[in-house]
């Protein structure tokens, strides 16, 4: 059997901080930074004003540290240092689970999206995602080329231990009625954008920024030349290229979920990392990618995953119920979007 593994993120560790000098003018300087965090590529472009005689601080380093801390202290299911890892341990051991205020807020928001998406978005499917293990298989190493599909019985068992309705929050405590594992992979990057935004709002010297954490992008403030931020949307049929761009002014969050991001292909079948919680198999709604445009990072990320599972018609309704805009690309490269997305979207030549 021919087995192929396609790497998502090339091990790209470019830790470059370049100050492009403004040649003595008062124009804000462009600070560009590419690095990795949260298992993905983080690209930052910050326009920073430097007051006379002041040493420029390094907001790009601070942002990277912020993303890494978010992962290691709160959201990672792998790292033993994180609150989520601790919660999963406590579930296994049947212990009482007291939530931090931040985690309580995240889990409450997740349950809201689960309810409104009819369970298409479900953070309780950790046992299912562990079983498929596509996230870690997508590293592209020689070892990861060995991939065995999970057995039907294993999937049924993992599914039996999941279900957002088996989770509730009371008096800052998490109540769980199954032997489940929580997985916040669908919202981690979006939560990072929300936190980066709070940080930027406190940094008077940053006048504008565009920051991408994997497939989630934050735009903030203005470009010194007054032009809009351009956020490219990857062509899911040819991930090396763009199907179009969004032109945005000011603060926005854009998240894309696609079947090209992390996957294993066997015998011509693509097994990707976005699961349908109804079946326990990779979602198969006919959609290749979904892009969500909204002001809130968490919501953009949660809805992109939910809409991918739901497909175009129902996904569009879900996005609109949250006041978010959505763009879907199907297997033929056909694009469908909410009315409110149209003014922002420009088709690239490749997508024509
Ligand atoms: P990416 O992480 O590549 O940006 P997504 O935001 O769509 O993509 O999140 C996918 C991740 O979310 C998976 O790797 C898995 O950890 C988790 N996940 C998969 N399916 C679901 C689902 N139906 N509901 C919630 N989380 C999911
Ligand atoms: Mg997501």
């Amino acid at each position: 059997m021919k087995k192929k593994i396609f790497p998502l993120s090339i091990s790209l560790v470019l830790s470059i901080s370049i100050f492009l000098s403004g040649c003595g003018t008062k124009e804000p300087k462009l600070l560009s930074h590419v690095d990795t965090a949260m298992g993905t590529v983080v690209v930052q472009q910050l326009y920073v004003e430097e007051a006379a005689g002041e040493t420029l601080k390094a907001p790009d380093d601070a942002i990277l540290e912020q993303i890494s801390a978010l992962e290691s202290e709160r959201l990672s299911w792998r790292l033993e240092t994180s609150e989520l890892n601790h919660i999963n341990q406590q579930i296994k051991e049947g212990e009482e689970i007291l939530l931090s205020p931040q985690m309580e807020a995240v889990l409450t928001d997740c349950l809201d999206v689960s309810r409104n998406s009819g369970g298409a978005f479900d953070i309780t499917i950790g046992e299912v995602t562990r079983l498929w293990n596509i996230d870690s298989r997508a590293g592209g190493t020689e070892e990861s080329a060995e991939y065995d599909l999970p057995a039907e019985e294993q999937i049924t068992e993992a599914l039996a231990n999941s279900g957002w309705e088996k989770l509730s929050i009371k008096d800052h405590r998490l109540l769980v009625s199954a032997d489940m594992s929580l997985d916040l992979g669908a919202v981690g990057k979006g939560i990072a954008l929300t936190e980066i935004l709070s940080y930027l709002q406190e940094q008077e010297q940053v006048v504008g920024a565009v920051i991408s954490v994997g497939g989630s992008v934050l735009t903030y403030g203005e470009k010194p030349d007054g032009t809009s931020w351009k956020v490219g949307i990857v062509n899911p049929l040819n991930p090396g290229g763009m199907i179009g761009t969004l032109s945005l002014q000011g603060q926005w969050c854009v998240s894309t979920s696609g079947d090209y991001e992390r996957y294993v292909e066997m015998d011509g079948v693509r097994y990707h990392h976005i699961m349908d919680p109804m079946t326990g198999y990779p979602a198969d709604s006919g959609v290749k990618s979904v892009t969500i445009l909204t002001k809130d990072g968490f919501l953009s990320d949660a809805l992109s995953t939910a809409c991918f599972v739901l497909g175009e018609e129902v996904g569009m309704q879900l996005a609109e119920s949250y006041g978010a805009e959505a763009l879907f690309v199907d297997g033929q490269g056909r694009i469908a979007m909410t009315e409110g997305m149209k003014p922002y979207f420009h088709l690239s030549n490749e997508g024509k």
Side-chain angles (χ1 to χ4, degrees):
M1 202 181 290
K2 197 155 183 264
K3 298 166 187 174
K4 277 199 228 161
I5 306 292
F6 291 76
L8 159 77
S9 48
I10 322 133
S11 282
L12 178 62
V13 187
L14 287 172
S15 190
I16 326 160
S17 291
I18 312 163
F19 287 97
L20 297 178
S21 162
C23 305
T25 66
K26 293 230 165 136
E27 272 288 286
K29 292 177 177 180
L30 173 63
L31 181 55
S32 300
H33 191 145
V34 182
D35 214 317
T36 53
M38 269 191 174
T40 193
V41 181
V42 176
V43 182
Q44 306 185 48
Q45 290 208 312
L46 301 157
Y47 289 95
V48 183
E49 271 175 352
E50 190 179 15
E54 194 185 307
T55 317
L56 203 58
K57 293 199 195 79
D60 55 331
D61 287 337
I63 287 170
L64 203 67
E65 275 170 30
Q66 200 180 8
I67 302 170
S68 298
L70 180 65
E71 183 182 32
S72 64
E73 292 166 18
R74 265 194 281 151
L75 304 182
S76 169
W77 61 265
R78 280 192 192 88
L79 300 176
E80 285 180 5
T81 46
S82 83
E83 183 175 0
L84 185 71
N85 183 290
H86 195 205
I87 289 173
N88 282 336
Q89 289 298 328
Q90 288 171 308
I91 293 175
K92 294 272 167 261
E93 280 152 34
E95 291 170 3
E96 183 179 39
I97 306 166
L98 188 60
L99 300 168
S100 70
Q102 296 93 330
M103 187 60 85
E104 181 174 352
V106 166
L107 298 183
T108 303
D109 290 345
C110 285
L111 287 174
D112 186 62
V113 179
S114 291
R115 195 171 300 111
N116 293 322
S117 66
F121 173 87
D122 192 340
I123 58 161
T124 71
I125 58 159
E127 293 295 315
V128 177
T129 50
R130 281 323 77 78
L131 191 58
W132 284 90
N133 205 18
I134 288 173
D135 282 0
S136 60
R137 294 282 166 180
T141 61
E142 281 304 311
E143 291 81 6
S144 72
E146 290 305 315
Y147 185 77
D148 292 317
L149 289 175
E152 184 77 50
E153 314 82 71
Q154 291 176 295
I155 295 172
T156 309
E157 195 187 328
L159 263 189
N161 282 328
S162 64
W164 65 275
E165 286 161 305
K166 297 172 189 152
L167 201 69
S168 59
I169 298 169
K170 193 163 182 247
D171 298 332
H172 315 298
R173 282 162 178 79
L174 188 68
L175 309 174
V176 183
S177 64
D179 187 15
M180 60 174 58
S181 297
L182 305 186
D183 178 341
L184 292 173
V187 287
K189 297 168 189 115
I191 294 169
L193 297 191
T194 302
E195 301 213 342
I196 293 166
L197 175 61
S198 303
Y199 169 81
L200 288 175
Q201 284 165 337
E202 290 164 7
Q203 307 304 307
E204 277 177 24
Q205 83 273 26
V206 180
V207 294
V210 57
I211 297 170
S212 63
V213 184
S216 291
V217 186
L218 169 73
T219 65
Y220 170 77
E222 307 301 335
K223 256 184 168 174
D225 66 4
T227 58
S228 12
W229 302 113
K230 300 276 187 290
V231 178
I233 300 178
V234 170
N235 180 352
L237 305 180
N238 173 21
M242 297 291 160
I243 202 155
T245 49
L246 297 180
S247 291
L248 305 169
Q249 293 275 354
Q251 194 266 303
W252 288 98
C253 290
V254 182
S255 287
T256 300
S257 288
D259 76 349
Y260 57 89
E261 292 188 64
R262 293 167 193 260
Y263 64 90
V264 172
E265 217 160 67
M266 292 174 70
D267 296 335
V269 180
R270 179 175 295 193
Y271 299 96
H272 60 78
H273 71 316
I274 304 172
M275 299 294 146
D276 184 341
M278 303 300 146
T279 63
Y281 281 81
D284 187 19
S285 64
V287 161
K288 298 289 280 183
S289 78
V290 182
T291 299
I292 299 289
L293 171 69
T294 177
K295 296 283 176 183
D296 181 68
F298 166 86
L299 210 53
S300 67
D301 205 359
L303 290 178
S304 69
T305 307
C307 290
F308 186 96
V309 176
L310 289 172
E312 184 184 314
E313 203 183 321
V314 185
M316 203 94 90
Q317 289 166 10
L318 177 71
E320 285 181 327
S321 75
Y322 276 96
E325 306 307 335
L327 182 146
F328 296 76
V329 184
D330 73 10
Q332 282 70 51
R334 199 180 60 86
I335 300 172
M337 63 188 115
T338 53
E339 274 305 307
M341 182 71 102
K342 289 180 182 169
Y344 303 105
F345 180 70
H346 308 278
L347 194 64
S348 74
N349 288 331
E350 187 193 344
K352 274 179 191 151

